[in-house]
């Protein structure tokens, strides 16, 4: 773009260096996770397992019963994402109707929500959830972030791109608002819906603060909180029972792999969503 | 018709007119209102109402069972005289300033570099790799760097091996490294995401302008200074808001990097609110600290709207 060969060379060097800061820590985690207990406690530059072993994973699943947080998280991800996408799509579609009286009022309300950070209302939110009997339920994690301004606005812009003539001709054929939404708008806004779904799966998978605040029943622990107790070494009961690095990093690997597998095919939709959200 | 009568008519007329319009709109468009209703109800119940309640609680004393009466500004007096809160306030501002400055400027570099390289496949590959940390939870991020920066980890081993240091650097357990680590890791985590925003903006830059500048003898640095940066200015404002408002609410990173040694330097206001309100159940005090943080966020938002040339940062 700048037409300078030196600059292009510099660009390659910079991008490779930056990528290495991402790749090397991930490789290091895999190397530690697959090393034996004793090898993982030795200092050294380790990008490949020393004394390859699955000890870390065995300990992780035996002692921490790591499958339970996975099931709990899967429930929150699936139900939470379906509800989130459905509610935000309906609202986004309604707000995309240019002739809807009061449309600006609703759009204003949604914009105002962006100015209140959830972190500042943690305490009253805790009280509200307690009053509604949501504490210590996995459903509380579905309710948190059930809808978001970001999703509504992004979907609204996708719905606005649908040519008016298509919707109008279907309306003349006698289709009601819900039929229009479901049969015509939803299929045409599919890329937007996939983007929001992908983002939401990631957000729900990563849910941490809310789980920390709303849930303290060990049966309902979710993935990130479980991982935190392993990485933070909270599970150790005595000094000869310390959680060794290979167990900690096995936890990180187990949490990271599903995310990377999910990220690979949907990367296109996530990056496009980021660019669209920014241009808006 | 006298003025008074006319004024009276208008006054009576306005509400009933509004009422009629509302009724007609509801009759005609009710399915659409029904579609927005859940979202509005959600925001009222889980955002606006808690915000209001936070304000109310901050003027109350709370026990285990509920409010125990009004205490006026007592919680706020405590907030502004408590050493831990003031320390947390300072940490929040320092961390936020660091994240914002780095977050606005650093991501321009990978965006520019991405534009410079071909083929398209290579661009996409780098984009994917540098974007990935943005999607990882803070628990995973801290896990990654715990392994890399621990006393027996890669960085310390390499530095020791090269003879740069003769004692491992306690990156994760020192007062000194706490804030740089929160700021640095946040910047690192978000750089791919923010670079993508700049990259999208650069894609809309007309190549012909740059070619014309080349003909006039402009080198790469002149082009960056006089064409590219001015072109990115509006996007930089958006990124400024995004990172400023995001960093003021720093929670996960600070909480996860907090330990006995680092607590004093990485505890942010959001973390304080959590510790005091949720862990120690001192709801009144914690709410006052929460309101303070909300106030700071809103003040920055209002202040930046006053700046010339800045219209609506978010949304």
């Amino acid at each position: 773009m700048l037409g300078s060969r030196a600059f292009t060379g510099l660009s390659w060097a910079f991008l490779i260096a930056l990528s290495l800061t991402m790749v090397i820590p991930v490789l290091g985690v895999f190397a530690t996770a697959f090393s034996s207990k004793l090898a993982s406690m030795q200092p050294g530059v380790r990008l490949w397992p020393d004394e390859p072993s699955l000890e870390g994973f065995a300990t992780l699943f035996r002692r921490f019963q790591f499958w339970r947080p996975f099931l709990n998280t899967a429930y929150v991800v699936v139900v939470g994402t379906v509800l989130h996408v459905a509610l935000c799509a309906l609202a986004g579609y309604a707000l995309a109707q240019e002739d809807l009286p009061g449309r600006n009022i609703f759009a204003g309300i949604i914009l105002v929500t962006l100015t209140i950070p959830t972190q500042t209302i943690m305490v009253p939110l805790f009280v509200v959830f307690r009053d509604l009997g949501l504490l210590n339920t996995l459903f509380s994690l579905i309710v948190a972030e059930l809808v978001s301004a970001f999703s509504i606005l992004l979907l609204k812009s996708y719905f606005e791109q649908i040519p008016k003539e298509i919707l109008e001709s279907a309306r003349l054929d006698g289709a009601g608002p819900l039929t229009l939404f479901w049969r015509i708008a939803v299929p045409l806004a599919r890329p937007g819906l996939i983007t929001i779904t992908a983002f939401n799966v990631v957000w729900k998978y990563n849910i941490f603060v809310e789980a920390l605040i709303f849930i303290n029943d060990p049966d309902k622990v979710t993935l990130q909180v479980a991982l935190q107790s392993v990485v933070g070494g909270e599970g150790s009961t005595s000094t000869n029972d310390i959680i060794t690095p290979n167990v900690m990093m096995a936890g990180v690997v187990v949490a990271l792999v599903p995310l990377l597998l999910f990220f690979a095919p949907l990367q296109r939709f996530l990056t496009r969503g980021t660019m669209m959200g920014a241009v808006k | 018709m006298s003025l008074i009568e006319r004024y009276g008519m208008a006054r009576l007329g306005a509400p009933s007119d509004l009422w009629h319009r509302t009724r007609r709109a509801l009759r005609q468009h009710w399915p659409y209102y029904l579609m927005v209703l859940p979202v509005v109800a959600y925001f009222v119940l889980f955002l606006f109402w808690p915000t209001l309640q936070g304000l109310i609680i901050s003027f109350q004393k709370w026990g285990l069972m509920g409010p125990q009466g009004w205490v006026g500004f007592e919680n706020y007096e405590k907030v502004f005289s408590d050493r831990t809160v003031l320390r947390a306030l300072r940490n929040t501002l320092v961390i936020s300033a660091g994240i914002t400055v780095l977050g606005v400027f650093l991501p321009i570099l990978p965006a520019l570099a991405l534009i410079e390289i071909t083929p398209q496949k290579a661009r996409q590959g780098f984009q994917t790799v540098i974007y990935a940390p943005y999607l990882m939870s803070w628990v995973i991020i801290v896990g990654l760097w715990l392994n890399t920066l621990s006393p027996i980890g890669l960085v310390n081993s390499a530095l020791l091996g090269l003879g740069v240091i003769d004692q491992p650097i306690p990156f994760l357990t020192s007062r000194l490294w706490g804030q740089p680590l929160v700021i640095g890791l946040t910047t690192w985590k978000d750089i791919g995401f923010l670079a993508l925003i700049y990259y999208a903006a650069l894609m809309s830059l007309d190549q012909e302008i740059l070619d014309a500048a080349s003909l006039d003898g402009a080198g790469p640095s002149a082009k960056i200074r006089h064409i590219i940066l001015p072109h990115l200015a509006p996007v930089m404002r958006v990124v400024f808001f995004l990172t400023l408002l995001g960093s003021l609410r720093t929670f996960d990173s600070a909480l996860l990097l907090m330990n006995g040694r680092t607590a004093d330097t990485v505890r942010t206001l959001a973390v304080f609110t959590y510790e005091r309100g949720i862990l120690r159940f001192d709801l009144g005090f914690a709410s006052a600290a929460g309101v303070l943080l909300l106030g700071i966020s809103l003040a920055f938002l209002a202040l930046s709207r006053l700046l010339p040339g800045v219209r609506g940062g978010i949304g």
Side-chain angles (χ1 to χ4, degrees), chain A residues 106-135:
Chain A
F106 293 122
I109 292 175
I110 288 164
L111 279 180
V112 168
T113 65
L114 288 170
T115 61
I116 304 173
T118 337
Q119 285 84 343
T120 64
I121 55 166
M122 249 184 283
V123 171
L125 208 54
F126 175 82
V127 175
V128 169
F129 271 62
R130 191 193 61 181
D131 292 348
L132 292 173
L134 287 168
L135 288 191

PDB file of all heavy atoms in Angstrom, chain A residues 106-135:
ATOM      1  N   PHE A 106     -37.106   3.696  21.643  1.00  0.00           N
ATOM      2  CA  PHE A 106     -36.532   2.382  21.930  1.00  0.00           C
ATOM      3  C   PHE A 106     -35.040   2.362  21.627  1.00  0.00           C
ATOM      4  O   PHE A 106     -34.237   1.834  22.396  1.00  0.00           O
ATOM      5  CB  PHE A 106     -37.242   1.289  21.125  1.00  0.00           C
ATOM      6  CG  PHE A 106     -38.669   1.085  21.530  1.00  0.00           C
ATOM      7  CD1 PHE A 106     -39.702   1.227  20.613  1.00  0.00           C
ATOM      8  CD2 PHE A 106     -38.979   0.750  22.838  1.00  0.00           C
ATOM      9  CE1 PHE A 106     -41.020   1.045  20.997  1.00  0.00           C
ATOM     10  CE2 PHE A 106     -40.295   0.558  23.224  1.00  0.00           C
ATOM     11  CZ  PHE A 106     -41.313   0.711  22.301  1.00  0.00           C
ATOM     12  N   ALA A 107     -34.678   2.952  20.490  1.00  0.00           N
ATOM     13  CA  ALA A 107     -33.261   2.993  20.124  1.00  0.00           C
ATOM     14  C   ALA A 107     -32.472   3.758  21.186  1.00  0.00           C
ATOM     15  O   ALA A 107     -31.361   3.360  21.561  1.00  0.00           O
ATOM     16  CB  ALA A 107     -33.085   3.645  18.760  1.00  0.00           C
ATOM     17  N   GLY A 108     -33.079   4.846  21.714  1.00  0.00           N
ATOM     18  CA  GLY A 108     -32.433   5.633  22.770  1.00  0.00           C
ATOM     19  C   GLY A 108     -32.215   4.803  24.020  1.00  0.00           C
ATOM     20  O   GLY A 108     -31.128   4.807  24.609  1.00  0.00           O
ATOM     21  N   ILE A 109     -33.262   4.067  24.424  1.00  0.00           N
ATOM     22  CA  ILE A 109     -33.152   3.214  25.617  1.00  0.00           C
ATOM     23  C   ILE A 109     -31.993   2.243  25.449  1.00  0.00           C
ATOM     24  O   ILE A 109     -31.182   2.029  26.358  1.00  0.00           O
ATOM     25  CB  ILE A 109     -34.467   2.429  25.845  1.00  0.00           C
ATOM     26  CG1 ILE A 109     -35.587   3.388  26.232  1.00  0.00           C
ATOM     27  CG2 ILE A 109     -34.280   1.363  26.922  1.00  0.00           C
ATOM     28  CD1 ILE A 109     -36.945   2.737  26.363  1.00  0.00           C
ATOM     29  N   ILE A 110     -31.897   1.657  24.255  1.00  0.00           N
ATOM     30  CA  ILE A 110     -30.858   0.650  24.025  1.00  0.00           C
ATOM     31  C   ILE A 110     -29.472   1.281  24.044  1.00  0.00           C
ATOM     32  O   ILE A 110     -28.525   0.714  24.581  1.00  0.00           O
ATOM     33  CB  ILE A 110     -31.147  -0.099  22.703  1.00  0.00           C
ATOM     34  CG1 ILE A 110     -32.348  -1.015  22.933  1.00  0.00           C
ATOM     35  CG2 ILE A 110     -29.945  -0.896  22.250  1.00  0.00           C
ATOM     36  CD1 ILE A 110     -32.987  -1.529  21.686  1.00  0.00           C
ATOM     37  N   LEU A 111     -29.354   2.499  23.527  1.00  0.00           N
ATOM     38  CA  LEU A 111     -28.055   3.180  23.565  1.00  0.00           C
ATOM     39  C   LEU A 111     -27.644   3.530  24.992  1.00  0.00           C
ATOM     40  O   LEU A 111     -26.477   3.418  25.360  1.00  0.00           O
ATOM     41  CB  LEU A 111     -28.089   4.451  22.706  1.00  0.00           C
ATOM     42  CG  LEU A 111     -27.897   4.227  21.209  1.00  0.00           C
ATOM     43  CD1 LEU A 111     -27.939   5.557  20.466  1.00  0.00           C
ATOM     44  CD2 LEU A 111     -26.577   3.520  20.927  1.00  0.00           C
ATOM     45  N   VAL A 112     -28.644   3.938  25.810  1.00  0.00           N
ATOM     46  CA  VAL A 112     -28.329   4.296  27.198  1.00  0.00           C
ATOM     47  C   VAL A 112     -27.739   3.094  27.954  1.00  0.00           C
ATOM     48  O   VAL A 112     -26.852   3.241  28.789  1.00  0.00           O
ATOM     49  CB  VAL A 112     -29.589   4.832  27.922  1.00  0.00           C
ATOM     50  CG1 VAL A 112     -29.358   4.933  29.419  1.00  0.00           C
ATOM     51  CG2 VAL A 112     -29.973   6.188  27.363  1.00  0.00           C
ATOM     52  N   THR A 113     -28.211   1.897  27.605  1.00  0.00           N
ATOM     53  CA  THR A 113     -27.712   0.718  28.322  1.00  0.00           C
ATOM     54  C   THR A 113     -26.210   0.541  28.137  1.00  0.00           C
ATOM     55  O   THR A 113     -25.556  -0.070  28.964  1.00  0.00           O
ATOM     56  CB  THR A 113     -28.390  -0.574  27.844  1.00  0.00           C
ATOM     57  OG1 THR A 113     -28.026  -0.811  26.477  1.00  0.00           O
ATOM     58  CG2 THR A 113     -29.888  -0.493  27.943  1.00  0.00           C
ATOM     59  N   LEU A 114     -25.684   1.095  27.057  1.00  0.00           N
ATOM     60  CA  LEU A 114     -24.237   0.967  26.821  1.00  0.00           C
ATOM     61  C   LEU A 114     -23.409   1.793  27.800  1.00  0.00           C
ATOM     62  O   LEU A 114     -22.224   1.552  27.962  1.00  0.00           O
ATOM     63  CB  LEU A 114     -23.906   1.406  25.390  1.00  0.00           C
ATOM     64  CG  LEU A 114     -24.336   0.463  24.273  1.00  0.00           C
ATOM     65  CD1 LEU A 114     -24.173   1.136  22.924  1.00  0.00           C
ATOM     66  CD2 LEU A 114     -23.538  -0.819  24.323  1.00  0.00           C
ATOM     67  N   THR A 115     -24.048   2.783  28.440  1.00  0.00           N
ATOM     68  CA  THR A 115     -23.282   3.670  29.322  1.00  0.00           C
ATOM     69  C   THR A 115     -23.195   3.145  30.758  1.00  0.00           C
ATOM     70  O   THR A 115     -22.459   3.684  31.558  1.00  0.00           O
ATOM     71  CB  THR A 115     -23.895   5.085  29.362  1.00  0.00           C
ATOM     72  OG1 THR A 115     -25.223   4.974  29.881  1.00  0.00           O
ATOM     73  CG2 THR A 115     -23.943   5.702  27.986  1.00  0.00           C
ATOM     74  N   ILE A 116     -23.974   2.112  31.081  1.00  0.00           N
ATOM     75  CA  ILE A 116     -23.933   1.586  32.450  1.00  0.00           C
ATOM     76  C   ILE A 116     -23.136   0.283  32.477  1.00  0.00           C
ATOM     77  O   ILE A 116     -23.608  -0.734  31.996  1.00  0.00           O
ATOM     78  CB  ILE A 116     -25.355   1.324  32.996  1.00  0.00           C
ATOM     79  CG1 ILE A 116     -26.195   2.595  32.906  1.00  0.00           C
ATOM     80  CG2 ILE A 116     -25.282   0.822  34.429  1.00  0.00           C
ATOM     81  CD1 ILE A 116     -27.651   2.391  33.269  1.00  0.00           C
ATOM     82  N   PRO A 117     -21.932   0.326  33.036  1.00  0.00           N
ATOM     83  CA  PRO A 117     -21.149  -0.913  33.111  1.00  0.00           C
ATOM     84  C   PRO A 117     -21.708  -1.843  34.188  1.00  0.00           C
ATOM     85  O   PRO A 117     -21.965  -1.398  35.310  1.00  0.00           O
ATOM     86  CB  PRO A 117     -19.751  -0.439  33.512  1.00  0.00           C
ATOM     87  CG  PRO A 117     -19.806   1.048  33.574  1.00  0.00           C
ATOM     88  CD  PRO A 117     -21.225   1.459  33.623  1.00  0.00           C
ATOM     89  N   THR A 118     -21.904  -3.110  33.833  1.00  0.00           N
ATOM     90  CA  THR A 118     -22.446  -4.081  34.796  1.00  0.00           C
ATOM     91  C   THR A 118     -21.583  -4.154  36.050  1.00  0.00           C
ATOM     92  O   THR A 118     -22.091  -4.379  37.135  1.00  0.00           O
ATOM     93  CB  THR A 118     -22.496  -5.493  34.185  1.00  0.00           C
ATOM     94  OG1 THR A 118     -22.531  -5.368  32.780  1.00  0.00           O
ATOM     95  CG2 THR A 118     -23.699  -6.248  34.664  1.00  0.00           C
ATOM     96  N   GLN A 119     -20.264  -3.962  35.875  1.00  0.00           N
ATOM     97  CA  GLN A 119     -19.365  -4.087  37.017  1.00  0.00           C
ATOM     98  C   GLN A 119     -19.687  -3.077  38.115  1.00  0.00           C
ATOM     99  O   GLN A 119     -19.356  -3.311  39.270  1.00  0.00           O
ATOM    100  CB  GLN A 119     -17.910  -3.896  36.579  1.00  0.00           C
ATOM    101  CG  GLN A 119     -17.325  -5.069  35.835  1.00  0.00           C
ATOM    102  CD  GLN A 119     -17.654  -5.057  34.356  1.00  0.00           C
ATOM    103  OE1 GLN A 119     -18.559  -4.359  33.919  1.00  0.00           O
ATOM    104  NE2 GLN A 119     -16.924  -5.825  33.580  1.00  0.00           N
ATOM    105  N   THR A 120     -20.321  -1.943  37.751  1.00  0.00           N
ATOM    106  CA  THR A 120     -20.606  -0.944  38.774  1.00  0.00           C
ATOM    107  C   THR A 120     -21.883  -1.272  39.539  1.00  0.00           C
ATOM    108  O   THR A 120     -22.146  -0.692  40.582  1.00  0.00           O
ATOM    109  CB  THR A 120     -20.752   0.476  38.171  1.00  0.00           C
ATOM    110  OG1 THR A 120     -21.883   0.476  37.299  1.00  0.00           O
ATOM    111  CG2 THR A 120     -19.523   0.865  37.392  1.00  0.00           C
ATOM    112  N   ILE A 121     -22.708  -2.180  39.003  1.00  0.00           N
ATOM    113  CA  ILE A 121     -23.961  -2.489  39.691  1.00  0.00           C
ATOM    114  C   ILE A 121     -23.978  -3.934  40.186  1.00  0.00           C
ATOM    115  O   ILE A 121     -25.036  -4.511  40.414  1.00  0.00           O
ATOM    116  CB  ILE A 121     -25.191  -2.212  38.803  1.00  0.00           C
ATOM    117  CG1 ILE A 121     -25.093  -2.970  37.480  1.00  0.00           C
ATOM    118  CG2 ILE A 121     -25.351  -0.733  38.544  1.00  0.00           C
ATOM    119  CD1 ILE A 121     -26.405  -3.010  36.728  1.00  0.00           C
ATOM    120  N   MET A 122     -22.775  -4.494  40.381  1.00  0.00           N
ATOM    121  CA  MET A 122     -22.675  -5.875  40.855  1.00  0.00           C
ATOM    122  C   MET A 122     -23.500  -6.121  42.108  1.00  0.00           C
ATOM    123  O   MET A 122     -24.237  -7.099  42.196  1.00  0.00           O
ATOM    124  CB  MET A 122     -21.218  -6.167  41.179  1.00  0.00           C
ATOM    125  CG  MET A 122     -20.570  -7.141  40.240  1.00  0.00           C
ATOM    126  SD  MET A 122     -18.912  -7.515  40.754  1.00  0.00           S
ATOM    127  CE  MET A 122     -17.988  -6.111  40.278  1.00  0.00           C
ATOM    128  N   VAL A 123     -23.370  -5.207  43.085  1.00  0.00           N
ATOM    129  CA  VAL A 123     -24.030  -5.419  44.376  1.00  0.00           C
ATOM    130  C   VAL A 123     -25.561  -5.382  44.252  1.00  0.00           C
ATOM    131  O   VAL A 123     -26.232  -6.339  44.632  1.00  0.00           O
ATOM    132  CB  VAL A 123     -23.513  -4.403  45.416  1.00  0.00           C
ATOM    133  CG1 VAL A 123     -24.335  -4.451  46.679  1.00  0.00           C
ATOM    134  CG2 VAL A 123     -22.052  -4.689  45.720  1.00  0.00           C
ATOM    135  N   PRO A 124     -26.134  -4.308  43.683  1.00  0.00           N
ATOM    136  CA  PRO A 124     -27.599  -4.324  43.536  1.00  0.00           C
ATOM    137  C   PRO A 124     -28.091  -5.450  42.625  1.00  0.00           C
ATOM    138  O   PRO A 124     -29.182  -5.993  42.854  1.00  0.00           O
ATOM    139  CB  PRO A 124     -27.924  -2.956  42.947  1.00  0.00           C
ATOM    140  CG  PRO A 124     -26.647  -2.395  42.474  1.00  0.00           C
ATOM    141  CD  PRO A 124     -25.576  -3.003  43.290  1.00  0.00           C
ATOM    142  N   LEU A 125     -27.301  -5.819  41.634  1.00  0.00           N
ATOM    143  CA  LEU A 125     -27.698  -6.916  40.754  1.00  0.00           C
ATOM    144  C   LEU A 125     -27.785  -8.215  41.559  1.00  0.00           C
ATOM    145  O   LEU A 125     -28.705  -9.023  41.382  1.00  0.00           O
ATOM    146  CB  LEU A 125     -26.664  -7.072  39.638  1.00  0.00           C
ATOM    147  CG  LEU A 125     -27.158  -7.656  38.313  1.00  0.00           C
ATOM    148  CD1 LEU A 125     -28.337  -6.879  37.779  1.00  0.00           C
ATOM    149  CD2 LEU A 125     -26.029  -7.658  37.291  1.00  0.00           C
ATOM    150  N   PHE A 126     -26.847  -8.363  42.475  1.00  0.00           N
ATOM    151  CA  PHE A 126     -26.857  -9.523  43.367  1.00  0.00           C
ATOM    152  C   PHE A 126     -28.149  -9.527  44.190  1.00  0.00           C
ATOM    153  O   PHE A 126     -28.809 -10.556  44.329  1.00  0.00           O
ATOM    154  CB  PHE A 126     -25.632  -9.456  44.285  1.00  0.00           C
ATOM    155  CG  PHE A 126     -25.582 -10.521  45.333  1.00  0.00           C
ATOM    156  CD1 PHE A 126     -25.102 -11.784  45.041  1.00  0.00           C
ATOM    157  CD2 PHE A 126     -26.009 -10.249  46.632  1.00  0.00           C
ATOM    158  CE1 PHE A 126     -25.049 -12.761  46.016  1.00  0.00           C
ATOM    159  CE2 PHE A 126     -25.964 -11.228  47.606  1.00  0.00           C
ATOM    160  CZ  PHE A 126     -25.485 -12.485  47.298  1.00  0.00           C
ATOM    161  N   VAL A 127     -28.538  -8.359  44.687  1.00  0.00           N
ATOM    162  CA  VAL A 127     -29.764  -8.257  45.488  1.00  0.00           C
ATOM    163  C   VAL A 127     -30.986  -8.593  44.638  1.00  0.00           C
ATOM    164  O   VAL A 127     -31.869  -9.347  45.062  1.00  0.00           O
ATOM    165  CB  VAL A 127     -29.892  -6.835  46.097  1.00  0.00           C
ATOM    166  CG1 VAL A 127     -31.225  -6.674  46.819  1.00  0.00           C
ATOM    167  CG2 VAL A 127     -28.743  -6.564  47.051  1.00  0.00           C
ATOM    168  N   VAL A 128     -31.034  -8.071  43.404  1.00  0.00           N
ATOM    169  CA  VAL A 128     -32.170  -8.345  42.520  1.00  0.00           C
ATOM    170  C   VAL A 128     -32.254  -9.849  42.208  1.00  0.00           C
ATOM    171  O   VAL A 128     -33.327 -10.457  42.285  1.00  0.00           O
ATOM    172  CB  VAL A 128     -32.043  -7.545  41.203  1.00  0.00           C
ATOM    173  CG1 VAL A 128     -33.060  -8.020  40.174  1.00  0.00           C
ATOM    174  CG2 VAL A 128     -32.232  -6.055  41.460  1.00  0.00           C
ATOM    175  N   PHE A 129     -31.117 -10.448  41.899  1.00  0.00           N
ATOM    176  CA  PHE A 129     -31.107 -11.883  41.605  1.00  0.00           C
ATOM    177  C   PHE A 129     -31.535 -12.693  42.831  1.00  0.00           C
ATOM    178  O   PHE A 129     -32.225 -13.697  42.705  1.00  0.00           O
ATOM    179  CB  PHE A 129     -29.705 -12.326  41.140  1.00  0.00           C
ATOM    180  CG  PHE A 129     -29.507 -12.204  39.656  1.00  0.00           C
ATOM    181  CD1 PHE A 129     -29.589 -10.978  39.026  1.00  0.00           C
ATOM    182  CD2 PHE A 129     -29.246 -13.324  38.875  1.00  0.00           C
ATOM    183  CE1 PHE A 129     -29.420 -10.855  37.654  1.00  0.00           C
ATOM    184  CE2 PHE A 129     -29.083 -13.223  37.498  1.00  0.00           C
ATOM    185  CZ  PHE A 129     -29.168 -11.976  36.895  1.00  0.00           C
ATOM    186  N   ARG A 130     -31.126 -12.217  44.019  1.00  0.00           N
ATOM    187  CA  ARG A 130     -31.512 -12.928  45.244  1.00  0.00           C
ATOM    188  C   ARG A 130     -33.028 -12.828  45.441  1.00  0.00           C
ATOM    189  O   ARG A 130     -33.699 -13.814  45.711  1.00  0.00           O
ATOM    190  CB  ARG A 130     -30.783 -12.316  46.437  1.00  0.00           C
ATOM    191  CG  ARG A 130     -30.903 -13.152  47.699  1.00  0.00           C
ATOM    192  CD  ARG A 130     -30.452 -12.371  48.911  1.00  0.00           C
ATOM    193  NE  ARG A 130     -31.288 -11.182  49.092  1.00  0.00           N
ATOM    194  CZ  ARG A 130     -31.113 -10.299  50.076  1.00  0.00           C
ATOM    195  NH1 ARG A 130     -30.136 -10.464  50.942  1.00  0.00           N
ATOM    196  NH2 ARG A 130     -31.900  -9.251  50.182  1.00  0.00           N
ATOM    197  N   ASP A 131     -33.565 -11.607  45.248  1.00  0.00           N
ATOM    198  CA  ASP A 131     -35.008 -11.410  45.437  1.00  0.00           C
ATOM    199  C   ASP A 131     -35.817 -12.239  44.453  1.00  0.00           C
ATOM    200  O   ASP A 131     -36.951 -12.630  44.745  1.00  0.00           O
ATOM    201  CB  ASP A 131     -35.363  -9.925  45.286  1.00  0.00           C
ATOM    202  CG  ASP A 131     -34.786  -9.102  46.427  1.00  0.00           C
ATOM    203  OD1 ASP A 131     -34.322  -9.716  47.418  1.00  0.00           O
ATOM    204  OD2 ASP A 131     -34.770  -7.861  46.320  1.00  0.00           O
ATOM    205  N   LEU A 132     -35.267 -12.483  43.275  1.00  0.00           N
ATOM    206  CA  LEU A 132     -35.995 -13.269  42.276  1.00  0.00           C
ATOM    207  C   LEU A 132     -35.730 -14.764  42.434  1.00  0.00           C
ATOM    208  O   LEU A 132     -36.190 -15.574  41.627  1.00  0.00           O
ATOM    209  CB  LEU A 132     -35.598 -12.826  40.868  1.00  0.00           C
ATOM    210  CG  LEU A 132     -36.053 -11.425  40.476  1.00  0.00           C
ATOM    211  CD1 LEU A 132     -35.465 -11.036  39.122  1.00  0.00           C
ATOM    212  CD2 LEU A 132     -37.571 -11.350  40.412  1.00  0.00           C
ATOM    213  N   GLY A 133     -34.964 -15.124  43.451  1.00  0.00           N
ATOM    214  CA  GLY A 133     -34.675 -16.539  43.692  1.00  0.00           C
ATOM    215  C   GLY A 133     -33.782 -17.162  42.632  1.00  0.00           C
ATOM    216  O   GLY A 133     -33.846 -18.355  42.369  1.00  0.00           O
ATOM    217  N   LEU A 134     -32.939 -16.340  42.011  1.00  0.00           N
ATOM    218  CA  LEU A 134     -32.083 -16.864  40.940  1.00  0.00           C
ATOM    219  C   LEU A 134     -30.709 -17.295  41.430  1.00  0.00           C
ATOM    220  O   LEU A 134     -29.954 -17.931  40.691  1.00  0.00           O
ATOM    221  CB  LEU A 134     -31.918 -15.808  39.850  1.00  0.00           C
ATOM    222  CG  LEU A 134     -33.131 -15.559  38.956  1.00  0.00           C
ATOM    223  CD1 LEU A 134     -32.931 -14.311  38.122  1.00  0.00           C
ATOM    224  CD2 LEU A 134     -33.384 -16.761  38.062  1.00  0.00           C
ATOM    225  N   LEU A 135     -30.379 -16.948  42.688  1.00  0.00           N
ATOM    226  CA  LEU A 135     -29.043 -17.298  43.177  1.00  0.00           C
ATOM    227  C   LEU A 135     -28.874 -18.803  43.189  1.00  0.00           C
ATOM    228  O   LEU A 135     -29.818 -19.552  43.455  1.00  0.00           O
ATOM    229  CB  LEU A 135     -28.828 -16.754  44.589  1.00  0.00           C
ATOM    230  CG  LEU A 135     -28.655 -15.248  44.736  1.00  0.00           C
ATOM    231  CD1 LEU A 135     -28.190 -14.911  46.139  1.00  0.00           C
ATOM    232  CD2 LEU A 135     -27.684 -14.688  43.718  1.00  0.00           C
TER     233      LEU A 135
END
